[in-house]
Amino acid sequence: MNEPFNHGGFSRRNGDWGGANIWEAVEQLRSSFNPKQPFRMNRGDVRAGILTLLAEAPMHGYQIIQEIEERSGGSWKPSPGSVYPTLQLLTDEGLISAESSSGRKTYSLTEAGREQVASEPESNAPWESAKKPEAPRAANLAKAGVELAQAAAQVGRSGSKEQVAEAVTALADTKRRLYSILAED
C-alpha cells in the first residue's frame, strides 16, 4: 500500500505512517512530566537555602547542592551556575565568609548572616516547597499518555487504512474527554 493517505495528522506515503512525529510527541509528553527532571526554583530560594544550610554547619558549594537535592527528595537540584554566584553575592554582602583549605572554599555564616537567618524564619527550608505532592499523580498521567502514544504508533506502523482511521477517531474522542475533565467544576 503506497497510496497517499492523510487522516488527522497521520499520513502514509511510501509505507511510512509518520512514526517519527509520534515518537517526537511521546518524548515531548514524557519530558513535560519527567519526575526525575530537577525542579526550578527562584533565585531567592537558592539564597534562602544556602543561608539555611550554613546556619547549621559550614559547607562547600558541592555539599550545598547535594544537601538541597537530598532535602527536597531529589525534586530540586540547584545548578552550580546558580549556587556559586549566589555564594559570591552573599560573600560580597558580608552574610557569609569563605575559607580556603586544600583548594576548596568552605563557606560559613558571619554574624550578619546569622542575624538575617534569625530575622526571616519564613524563608527557611525552601526545599519544602520543591517537594511536589502532585508528582506521583502527574507521573501516572505521563505514563498513561506515553503508553497511549506508543499504542498509536504501533497502529500507525502495522494497521490497515481502516484501523488507522478508527484509531484517529478514538484518539480524537479521548482528547475531547480529557478536555471535558478540565471543564468540570
Side-chain angles (χ1 to χ4, degrees), residues 29-176:
L29 178 67
R30 187 182 321 213
S31 67
S32 70
F33 287 105
N34 187 352
K36 294 182 181 178
Q37 185 174 340
F39 187 68
R40 295 188 74 92
M41 298 288 285
N42 296 324
R43 285 180 197 238
D45 294 320
V46 173
R47 176 187 174 95
I50 290 171
L51 290 172
T52 300
L53 290 174
L54 294 180
E56 296 174 9
M59 296 182 186
H60 57 77
Y62 184 67
Q63 285 174 305
I64 291 170
I65 293 169
Q66 287 180 311
E67 193 65 29
I68 290 174
E69 181 181 22
E70 183 179 311
R71 291 185 188 205
S72 70
S75 62
W76 176 31
K77 181 178 182 182
S79 70
S82 65
V83 170
Y84 287 101
T86 303
L87 287 168
Q88 184 59 53
L89 179 67
L90 291 169
T91 302
D92 293 346
E93 291 175 4
L95 299 176
I96 65 172
S97 62
E99 183 179 306
S100 291
S101 175
S102 303
R104 278 204 166 163
K105 285 185 180 178
T106 300
Y107 299 90
S108 57
L109 287 181
T110 62
E111 187 58 39
R114 281 188 281 285
E115 288 172 12
Q116 179 154 347
V117 170
S119 71
E120 298 178 6
E122 69 279 352
S123 66
N124 292 348
W127 41 80
E128 290 300 322
S129 65
K131 291 180 180 175
K132 299 182 275 186
E134 300 299 315
R137 285 194 297 191
N140 291 338
L141 178 62
K143 183 177 184 230
V146 168
E147 290 170 353
L148 178 63
Q150 290 170 335
Q154 183 65 39
V155 172
R157 283 190 304 271
S158 307
S160 68
K161 178 179 177 179
E162 293 77 21
Q163 289 170 322
V164 169
E166 188 178 338
V168 168
T169 301
L171 289 172
D173 290 343
T174 301
K175 180 177 77 172
R176 278 190 294 279

